[in-house]
Amino acid sequence: MIKTHLKGFTLLELAIVLVIIGIVAGLGLPSLINLMNREKVVTTGQNQQYVLQALAGYLLTYHHLPCPANPSSSGAERGKAPSQCDSPEQAQGIIPFRTLGIPEAKAKDGYKNWMTYAIHPLLGNKFDLKSLLIDESGTEPPENSFCGIKADGLEAGISKINIVDQSHNPLLVKVFNSHSLIPHDFIAVVLISHGSKGEGAYTSAGTRNPIKHEGIDKAENANNDFLFVDRQKSVDFDDTVSWVTRNNLMATYVQKPCRTK
């Protein structure tokens, strides 16, 4: 019988191999993390666009926007829009995924946190908004229609949504042509992802996740008023903010522009 002696690795050789594996893993790990983060950002943007399309479908059917759902609701009420949302506090919450008939996952961002959903209070008033556009006479849209509400004629005490940049300059520039029958435009819907750590996002208890860093603009997007910040991401700001005006919602997503025939 021929005996064969297999030579094994020495401890030094094993140590060298482990060091090489560690170096390779260390070089590739940051790239892998960046790739995963980019995928979550992409998913967030896709979910926000999905929700806007779902809102358009709802709007075509019911002629008003669904009110935000209460994040603390459970059971059959979870993700269900209430009938009224007359104040800024009531007009923001989580996306009413059950009312919209969309998956719960679409109401969250790529980091699995709830996205904040805010609407102009008057646009959720299903008792007053009888139609989307105009009557058959082809005149200016009636005030009780979705397109007939005018920014300059909003009811006293009704707060409007404001979007500002890092310097707190308004991002919506109002342009009005006195010869046009298109009403003044205003912000209708805001969707906010509160970033990778979900700081400022709603919890299942109805509260907000604490903001641990000194992010003034992140805090502004989570303080339940109607002022929101949309700016480039930085060390202290990683929110993804999508917003659309009433006229652009109708023209782009519903594909029925607010204009006379």
Side-chain angles (χ1 to χ4, degrees):
M1 175 182 287
I2 299 175
K3 295 184 179 180
T4 304
H5 297 279
L6 298 177
K7 183 181 180 181
F9 292 103
T10 65
L11 289 177
L12 177 60
E13 289 171 332
L14 287 173
I16 293 174
V17 170
L18 291 175
V19 169
I20 293 174
I21 291 175
I23 292 174
V24 173
L27 292 175
L29 186 59
S31 297
L32 179 60
I33 292 174
N34 289 335
L35 178 61
M36 294 175 62
N37 287 335
R38 285 197 296 270
E39 288 180 350
K40 291 175 181 178
V41 171
V42 170
T43 298
T44 297
Q46 291 174 339
N47 286 358
Q48 290 179 337
Q49 290 303 308
Y50 185 96
V51 170
L52 290 173
Q53 292 290 353
L55 289 173
Y58 184 94
L59 186 55
L60 274 171
T61 303
Y62 298 103
H63 301 168
H64 66 91
L65 292 173
C67 290
N70 187 334
S72 63
S73 296
S74 59
E77 296 300 312
R78 182 179 174 88
K80 186 177 179 181
S83 59
Q84 292 287 99
C85 45
D86 296 327
S87 67
E89 293 76 21
Q90 296 172 327
Q92 57 182 307
I94 64 172
I95 296 162
F97 59 89
R98 189 181 299 274
T99 300
L100 290 173
I102 64 175
E104 180 177 333
K106 295 296 184 181
K108 298 181 178 180
D109 58 19
Y111 306 98
K112 311 299 183 183
N113 295 312
W114 291 115
M115 289 190 285
T116 293
Y117 166 68
I119 66 168
H120 193 288
L122 291 183
L123 299 183
N125 190 342
K126 67 178 182 181
F127 299 112
D128 292 340
L129 301 179
K130 301 296 189 294
S131 63
L132 281 176
L133 301 173
I134 62 174
D135 56 26
E136 295 300 323
S137 66
T139 58
E140 186 171 353
E143 292 185 2
N144 65 347
S145 70
F146 191 86
C147 283
I149 297 174
K150 296 182 179 180
D152 288 351
L154 295 176
E155 296 179 10
I158 298 294
S159 300
K160 292 185 290 186
I161 298 174
N162 292 298
I163 306 288
V164 297
D165 60 17
Q166 188 168 358
S167 300
H168 279 220
N169 296 316
L171 290 177
L172 178 62
V173 179
K174 299 177 181 178
V175 178
F176 178 65
N177 182 352
S178 60
H179 299 291
S180 170
L181 292 179
I182 300 176
H184 290 193
D185 206 3
F186 54 91
I187 297 169
V189 178
V190 181
L191 299 172
I192 302 176
S193 161
H194 294 273
S196 59
K197 297 181 180 179
E199 295 182 3
Y202 283 105
T203 68
S204 58
T207 58
R208 298 268 195 174
N209 287 327
I211 298 176
K212 299 178 182 179
H213 300 91
E214 295 181 2
I216 297 176
D217 291 338
K218 282 187 69 69
E220 187 61 67
N221 285 346
N223 63 3
N224 297 328
D225 64 9
F226 258 15
L227 177 65
F228 302 101
V229 180
D230 183 11
R231 46 165 280 204
Q232 290 184 339
K233 290 180 172 57
S234 63
V235 175
D236 62 349
F237 186 86
D238 61 352
D239 292 359
T240 299
V241 183
S242 291
W243 54 277
V244 63
T245 67
R246 184 268 314 277
N247 290 358
N248 284 339
L249 176 64
M250 289 294 295
T252 303
Y253 294 94
V254 183
Q255 297 186 353
K256 290 182 178 293
C258 286
R259 62 169 181 262
T260 58
K261 293 182 179 178

